[in-house]
Amino acid sequence: MEEVTHILAIETSCDETAAAVVHDGRSLLSSVVASQMEMHARYGGVYPEVASRQHVLTILPVVEETLHKARLSLADVDAIAVTQGPGLAGSLVVGMNAAKGLVLGTGKPLVGVNHLEGHIYAAWLHEASQPTPPAPDFPLLALLASGGHTELDLMTGHLNYRRLGATNDDAAGEAFDKTARLLGLAYPGGPAIQKAAEEGDSQAFKFTRPKAEAEFDFSFSGLKTAVLYLVRNLEKNGQPIPVNDIAASFQRAVVDYLINQTVAAARAHKAKNLLLAGGVSANLSLRQAFLNLQNDGFTVHIPPFAYCTDNAAMIAAAGHQRFVGGYLSNLGMDVLPTWPITRASEQYLQK
Ligand code: KG4
Ligand code: ZN
């Protein structure tokens, strides 16, 4: 039998200061996320300098709280995983230096983890109090839709990614955020659009389906511009802005587009297993549409709702795979603010 493994993970790539402990790569013992959302809301987006200074203040209490909740001490942990990139350099540095400090103090192994890989491994997580669901099987097609990335990655095994398509311009989450701003809705835009859409008619406006450069690529900037022109025209004619109807129609267009591209790529590459990941996977309409693909013969995996947006549990889940695979980092590692998932295996000093 495999030995029990406890991974302590730290995540500070953007505006959440997070730490978590995961047992055997899947079973979540504790997860703490200190969100800075309210601090950034007044700027309408993440203010990098404010984010890194807040991480400095919060990181150690968050690590202490997660260990306390897991009823473990640092000595019980088998390895320390930390988000190495991609993300905001000044934010990543805080988590990385905290992890290096813990490693220096304890002599535990250090594992740098790709944040996007973390989002994908969120689908392996479950609460420790719940029975273990079946693990995702390969070949698997992952739709990764976050605030900074939107791509389709084919996995033929653990830690192995082939990018089949990606956005040519905005990420899906960014499109939600920018469109929300156009509609006068609060930051972050994804949850705000979802909420407005609940009261709106998704058939009220037809947005033409975007066209991207390559077959499985995405493009979101046209959709955002279509909303801009619609709002401008209504304003010019002195008409009220039907915010809820526009939000619902926009959300439907994005969801249909994400689903259609995923299904096309999955069929072309004979992947029967689908996985949804990234902050946009918190969207209820997208989650439902993805689940409905089970009726078309796909096996579908969606992370638990709480682990869709940024958290450290997902970094622990991915860190576990790296650790047991022998991918270790050392104290000389640097942050990688633009690290693509397709190169996620290249940064390790031992393997
Ligand atoms: O993965 P994430 O937490 O951070 C990045 O790594 O980028 O994703 C954040 C993005 C934001 O753009 C946010 O608006 C979007 O995820 N998001 C949503 C929802 N919740 C968060 N988009 C649509 N519907 C949601 N419910
Ligand atoms: Zn993220």
Side-chain angles (χ1 to χ4, degrees):
M1 216 175 90
E2 237 182 82
E3 271 182 57
V4 172
T5 308
H6 289 110
I7 306 284
L8 167 67
I10 291 176
E11 150 70 40
T12 62
S13 68
C14 190
D15 62 341
E16 324 278 1
T17 317
V21 180
V22 167
H23 164 204
D24 282 346
R26 301 198 58 195
S27 171
L28 180 62
L29 297 186
S30 70
S31 170
V32 177
V33 181
S35 176
Q36 307 173 4
M37 206 105 84
E38 277 173 26
M39 302 183 79
H40 299 289
R42 75 178 102 139
Y43 307 111
V46 178
Y47 198 128
E49 199 137 320
V50 171
S52 36
R53 293 179 67 179
Q54 193 58 31
H55 287 311
V56 170
L57 293 176
T58 324
I59 187 64
L60 288 181
V62 163
V63 169
E64 277 168 10
E65 190 183 338
T66 206
L67 283 170
H68 179 77
K69 282 191 170 163
R71 295 170 196 272
L72 294 175
S73 71
L74 266 178
D76 304 317
V77 163
D78 295 283
I80 294 168
V82 61
T83 305
Q84 191 173 1
L88 299 170
S91 287
L92 289 164
V93 160
V94 179
M96 172 149 303
N97 282 343
K100 284 184 181 180
L102 296 176
V103 165
L104 265 176
T106 60
K108 303 282 178 187
L110 177 64
V111 185
V113 172
N114 184 292
H115 178 83
L116 306 174
E117 176 168 88
H119 273 301
I120 288 180
Y121 276 92
W124 269 258
L125 287 170
H126 70 91
E127 302 289 341
S129 57
Q130 303 289 319
T132 310
D137 225 345
F138 304 105
L140 176 157
L141 181 67
L143 167 62
L144 181 62
S146 71
H149 296 81
T150 295
E151 56 188 70
L152 287 164
D153 295 307
L154 184 67
M155 294 178 73
T156 49
H158 278 300
L159 309 174
N160 168 303
Y161 313 94
R162 184 174 149 210
R163 191 187 280 152
L164 302 181
T167 184
N168 300 152
D169 39 59
D170 293 346
E174 196 179 356
F176 270 98
D177 295 337
K178 289 180 175 171
T179 302
R181 205 175 306 161
L182 285 174
L183 295 175
L185 297 170
Y187 168 85
I193 291 210
Q194 177 178 305
K195 189 151 182 290
E198 282 168 19
E199 311 291 325
D201 174 6
S202 66
Q203 308 291 332
F205 299 97
K206 295 255 176 308
F207 296 115
T208 46
R209 206 179 142 180
K211 242 194 136 18
E213 281 165 21
E215 195 180 2
F216 305 129
D217 277 357
F218 298 93
S219 168
F220 290 98
S221 64
L223 264 176
K224 172 194 68 190
T225 314
V227 173
L228 172 70
Y229 287 152
L230 175 63
V231 169
R232 273 199 193 150
N233 259 329
L234 289 164
E235 279 173 349
K236 206 168 72 193
N237 298 330
Q239 287 173 279
I241 311 295
V243 170
N244 296 345
D245 287 350
I246 299 177
S249 304
F250 168 82
Q251 178 176 267
R252 184 178 61 95
V254 172
V255 169
D256 285 354
Y257 186 40
L258 289 171
I259 294 283
N260 288 339
Q261 292 295 83
T262 304
V263 168
R267 294 217 163 108
H269 290 270
K270 301 196 171 23
K272 285 240 167 287
N273 304 291
L274 302 179
L275 187 154
L276 177 62
V280 181
S281 68
N283 185 275
L284 294 177
S285 171
L286 179 60
R287 292 170 82 83
Q288 192 53 54
F290 219 77
L291 283 176
N292 290 346
L293 294 176
Q294 293 177 129
N295 303 329
D296 298 327
F298 291 106
T299 302
V300 171
H301 296 275
I302 304 181
F305 182 75
Y307 308 108
C308 290
T309 49
D310 289 349
N311 64 85
M314 67 188 202
I315 302 302
H320 171 90
Q321 292 297 337
R322 288 287 169 195
F323 178 61
V324 298
Y327 295 87
L328 298 180
S329 312
N330 72 13
L331 290 171
M333 78 163 159
D334 193 8
V335 298
L336 299 167
T338 60
W339 191 16
I341 194 171
T342 45
R343 305 187 64 177
S345 292
E346 289 179 18
Q347 303 299 326
Y348 299 90
L349 301 161
Q350 300 171 23
K351 163 65 193 171

